[in-house]
Amino acid sequence: STINVPDFIPTVYRAFQWDQGTWALPLTTDATVLSFDPAAFDKANLAYPTAKWTIDDLITAVKALTVVDSSGKIVTPGITLFAGNNDIPLYMSLIGKPLYDVNAIPNPPLIDQPETTALLDKLNDLFAIVPVQTQGDNAAPITIGSIRQLTFQRGNNAVRKGVLLPGGHSYLNVSGVAVSGSTQHPDQAYALARFLTNRVELASGGGSYPARTSLVSQITTGLLGRLTPEVKTLYQDAIANGYSQTDRRFYDFLASAIRKMGTNSLDTKAAIAAAQSDALNAEQTALARKADASKVAVIATPVPTVDPKTGITLKFGMSVNGPTIPNKATIQALADQFAKDNAGTVGRVDIESIGGGFGGGNNVLTTATTGYDCFYLPYSAVPNVPLDSVLSLDSFLTSDKNYDSKDYLGAV
């Protein structure tokens, strides 16, 4: 009764609504729009882009703006378009509707639609002028990306302007807070999630727009504090006409099929059929996994029998800079003393380097949690480590009569 749903911007709030469920509460949103270089359009004697642009308008502009050398090689593409990335918001805006059936739960893919066929027929003309790229520096006259690129412009890029994507929409990248399915305190966790959505310091972070309308007027710093009136109006239009994650379902399969049109010479009909088949198979796989009781099990692991003469071997990994462990002899002596103190249970402790040091990362974490009984890191990996890959120590600490938390300094 205290969530006040009407306070959320409707297009932002529905980003986490899926199959008749609400799975998270939004905090902020960024918007993907079209930005362009007015000077390049003036030089080519082209009218500036508008939200009413069609795919034909885009193709005409890209053709006029693409710079090639004497051999026909593209020097500067008319548009930067990255496969599986900023091309999908463009497809969404041009098609103008979701690719799933809203009348069935869970929503099945519905990729074979007249609007999809019409777009794919035209994309061949676009890709004939400028193929989808793999990388770029946003130097093209037309780019598709975050509206923030219009706010944090520097140097030669300080003249770019922005509009909604062709078709009259934007794509909203929404951040949010969810309640974990494994929480033992769902009511309190939900209360915390709801509390966070009302915090102005979170709503103003990351250079994004707040999800709650009541917070907009409270923010005078950060992104909203430096928006020009023109960009602020565009931001508001982008949010009002934005698609989000919930609308994006199955568009990735369409984008994959579009790439196959170029690499495998598929025609429009075959590409759409492939996208529909792949999306349907993926959904069926997910549903089957969800319903498979064998995937949820509690396994009673047999307690290993320890040979009192040899004991077990513990593998201890150390994340250090370089291939060798400094002072390893001293550390090994400490390990040998531990084994001696626990004779009959522990036979020895093998100490090995797992590399990484302070620049470790996920590879070091994976090696540490899968290859060793215990491990040392020179930094805290708790924010990044999958919590099912390490053991909670609470039960050990509770039963350990020699453990004294007060022996640690301060809040360490």
Side-chain angles (χ1 to χ4, degrees):
S1 60
T2 59
I3 182 65
N4 192 15
V5 171
D7 188 38
F8 289 98
I9 299 171
T11 53
V12 179
Y13 185 72
R14 73 180 301 269
F16 301 117
Q17 292 180 314
W18 202 293
D19 288 339
Q20 293 187 343
T22 300
W23 307 102
L25 297 176
L27 295 175
T28 63
T29 185
D30 182 25
T32 296
V33 297
L34 182 147
S35 73
F36 64 97
D37 181 359
F41 275 77
D42 292 341
K43 184 177 180 180
N45 196 27
L46 290 171
Y48 293 164
T50 72
K52 296 182 179 180
W53 257 22
T54 65
I55 182 66
D56 291 321
D57 296 321
L58 179 64
I59 291 172
T60 298
V62 170
K63 185 175 182 179
L65 295 168
T66 299
V67 179
V68 298
D69 60 20
S70 57
S71 65
K73 181 180 178 181
I74 295 177
V75 177
T76 303
I79 184 174
T80 51
L81 208 57
F82 309 130
N85 190 338
N86 68 345
D87 60 336
I88 295 180
L90 175 63
Y91 303 153
M92 293 176 67
S93 184
L94 287 168
I95 291 176
K97 60 192 304 187
L99 298 183
Y100 55 83
D101 184 357
V102 297
N103 297 313
I105 301 296
N107 302 145
L110 186 59
I111 299 175
D112 190 356
Q113 303 186 52
E115 294 85 354
T116 307
T117 301
L119 174 64
L120 266 61
D121 285 340
K122 289 290 185 178
L123 285 180
N124 283 325
D125 297 333
L126 176 62
F127 297 152
I129 302 169
V130 52
V132 175
Q133 299 115 62
T134 56
Q135 58 184 359
D137 57 2
N138 288 335
I142 301 174
T143 61
I144 295 174
S146 170
I147 196 171
R148 285 177 288 183
Q149 63 188 350
L150 301 174
T151 304
F152 299 104
Q153 297 188 76
R154 296 183 179 87
N156 294 332
N157 290 326
V159 295
R160 298 187 76 91
K161 295 183 178 296
V163 296
L164 296 180
L165 297 170
H169 301 280
S170 73
Y171 179 73
L172 303 179
N173 291 294
V174 183
S175 71
V177 56
V179 174
S180 170
S182 62
T183 180
Q184 297 182 38
H185 311 285
D187 292 338
Q188 293 87 344
Y190 168 75
L192 174 57
R194 183 187 60 208
F195 167 81
L196 294 174
T197 67
N198 282 298
R199 303 303 301 175
V200 67
E201 61 269 41
L202 293 182
S204 61
S208 297
Y209 206 89
R212 284 186 178 272
T213 56
S214 60
L215 298 180
V216 175
S217 61
Q218 301 180 43
I219 299 174
T220 57
T221 60
L223 174 75
L224 296 187
R226 61 167 60 94
L227 290 181
T228 64
E230 181 182 9
V231 175
K232 187 173 184 178
T233 298
L234 175 60
Y235 218 142
Q236 292 168 344
D237 289 344
I239 292 174
N241 297 280
Y243 290 138
S244 63
Q245 290 98 325
T246 192
D247 306 299
R248 182 169 173 150
R249 275 174 285 175
F250 306 119
Y251 264 94
D252 292 270
F253 292 94
L254 179 64
S256 177
I258 290 172
R259 292 195 295 273
K260 293 177 182 177
M261 289 176 64
T263 57
N264 299 343
S265 299
L266 293 179
D267 59 23
T268 297
K269 184 177 181 179
I272 292 177
Q276 175 70 20
S277 176
D278 291 345
L280 188 60
N281 288 337
E283 183 178 58
Q284 291 302 319
T285 299
L287 292 174
R289 184 171 59 216
K290 182 179 179 180
D292 187 355
S294 68
K295 300 296 183 183
V296 182
V298 177
I299 302 173
T301 305
V303 178
T305 302
V306 178
D307 186 338
K309 296 180 180 179
T310 59
I312 63 171
T313 297
L314 287 177
K315 291 184 64 177
F316 190 88
M318 294 189 65
S319 177
V320 296
N321 290 315
T324 59
I325 299 175
N327 303 317
K328 183 176 181 180
T330 304
I331 299 172
Q332 187 63 60
L334 184 66
D336 292 343
Q337 182 62 51
F338 171 79
K340 182 178 180 181
D341 292 345
N342 292 272
T345 303
V346 178
R348 70 176 192 272
V349 179
D350 290 342
I351 299 176
E352 300 177 8
S353 169
I354 54 177
F358 283 99
N362 291 335
N363 290 337
V364 170
L365 280 177
T366 300
T367 301
T369 57
T370 59
Y372 295 91
D373 297 292
C374 318
F375 60 91
Y376 161 82
L377 301 178
Y379 56 89
S380 172
V382 173
N384 300 316
V385 67
L387 291 182
D388 59 355
S389 66
V390 292
L391 293 183
S392 170
L393 303 181
D394 297 273
S395 59
F396 297 105
L397 301 179
T398 301
S399 60
D400 188 348
K401 63 180 184 297
N402 295 315
Y403 174 72
D404 180 10
S405 62
K406 297 178 181 178
D407 192 38
Y408 287 98
L409 293 174
V412 174

